[in-house]
Structures are given as structure tokens and as C-alpha cells.
Amino acid sequence: MKRILIILMLFGISAYANAADVIRLVVKEDRASCTGVAPQTCFQVKYKNSKSWELFYSNISGFNYKPGYRYVLLVTRTKRANVPADASIYTYKLKRVLKKQKMPVVTSDWGFVVKHKWKLIQMNGVTQEQSPAFIIFDKEKGRVNGSAGCNSFFGSYEKGDGKLTFKQMGSTLMACADEERTKLENDFLKLISDKTFKYDVAEQTLNFYENNRLVLMFGMAPLDTP
């Protein structure tokens, strides 16, 4: 009797470990750079309660993804019994495509860009939650300014053929007590100083690319927002 009970308990644990549920996923029309075991590109997804796009480090078995299309999927999510190192605790399998929508081609309309403040929302594939960093462009003077986290930065820019070059960048030198803000600021300023990026505007985001890899994403905000 005791042996039967142990077997039933082990069966129950195994069944729990492999329990599956069906979830709804929205998959964005372009991938973003991310770092798992090595640098790679990831889907950008929204779950039921997502407020913004999240990086998706796994694969979806049976899903034939095409860039430029936004998908709404029903996906079977199964918890792994034994999780390999640096792997997701879940596996995902496509159950049904609920919607597939061709998204508008992105634009490089600079007149639109200079009318707004752009707040940093992603850097090198990492989502920046409530980041204090932002950037503003002065079309008439060819100047750029903003906040890198603690300090203000400034410089000039040149634009042409869908590319943007930052020049003569500088910043104030106020000490920052917050270590996370200090790291954010150092990484951000290093990334944009004397660099040339391809850029586009899509879905109210300003995106910078280096070697065809998305490295910076900014969200649109009114110029007069703090």
C-alpha cells in the first residue's frame, strides 16, 4: 500500500511539472536584440496584462514568423520537468493563429521627430522601466540635448539618407548617488558619443540601429513633459 502511494505521489509531481496551459500572445512585427547564452534576436511580445512589449527568449514550435506582420496567437505553454541551464522553464507550441496583420512601413520623417521628446525605453535589448533618460532634437540649430539619467548631455547631430550621426557630445559632471542610474548614464553616453546610427520611426517609437541591430528605442512624449 505504501509503495502504491509513493508511485501515485511521484505521478502527481510529474504531472504537475508537465502541466500545460493555453495563453494568448501578441507578437510584434520586428525582433529586438537580446542576450541569452549569447547575443541573439528575440520576439517582442505582449501577454494578457502587458503594458509594453517584452522580450521573449524562447521559441514557439510550429510558428512560421514573417517580419512586418503582427500576430495574435493561442499558444500552449508547458512547464519543463527538468530545466536545462540557461533555458526557459517553459516550452511553447502554436495552437492557433487568431490574427495576422501587415503593419505599415516605418517612416524616417524628421519633421515628426523634432516635435517630440523621446524617452529611453530600451537599450541593447534591455527594457528600461521608467527610465529618466530622454533626448530632444533642435532642427533649426542641428543640436541635441537631454538627460542621461543624472546629468544633462548636449551636442550636435547630422542627418542624411536615413542615418543620424552624433558629434561633439558632452555632459554636465554632477555626481550621481544612485548606482543603477550611474550605470545607465555611462552606458547610454558611451553608446551615442560620436556614433552613426540608422534610424526609423514606428508606432510612436524612435529606433536606432547599429550594424542592423536595434540598440536604442525611445518612446514619444510631449516636449513639455518633465
Side-chain angles (χ1 to χ4, degrees), residues 80-96:
R80 295 175 186 261
N82 298 298
V83 183
D86 299 315
S88 170
I89 63 171
Y90 296 105
T91 60
Y92 298 85
K93 184 176 182 180
L94 178 67
K95 185 176 179 69
R96 186 161 69 251

Side-chain angles (χ1 to χ4, degrees), residues 76-156:
T76 301
R77 180 176 65 182
T78 304
K79 192 169 185 179
R80 295 175 186 261
N82 298 298
V83 183
D86 299 315
S88 170
I89 63 171
Y90 296 105
T91 60
Y92 298 85
K93 184 176 182 180
L94 178 67
K95 185 176 179 69
R96 186 161 69 251
V97 177
L98 299 177
K99 186 177 181 180
K100 178 182 178 182
Q101 180 182 4
K102 178 70 173 176
M103 300 304 293
V105 177
V106 296
T107 177
S108 58
D109 183 2
W110 196 247
F112 176 78
V113 173
V114 298
K115 292 178 182 177
H116 300 90
K117 172 189 287 187
W118 297 94
K119 292 194 170 186
L120 181 66
I121 58 177
Q122 188 183 113
M123 180 166 60
N124 281 327
V126 179
T127 300
Q128 304 296 319
E129 299 287 350
Q130 299 180 339
S131 167
F134 67 85
I135 191 167
I136 297 173
F137 297 91
D138 186 327
K139 182 179 181 181
E140 301 301 322
K141 297 180 180 179
R143 303 287 297 175
V144 60
N145 67 86
S147 172
C150 289
N151 286 278
S152 298
F153 69 89
F154 44 83
S156 61

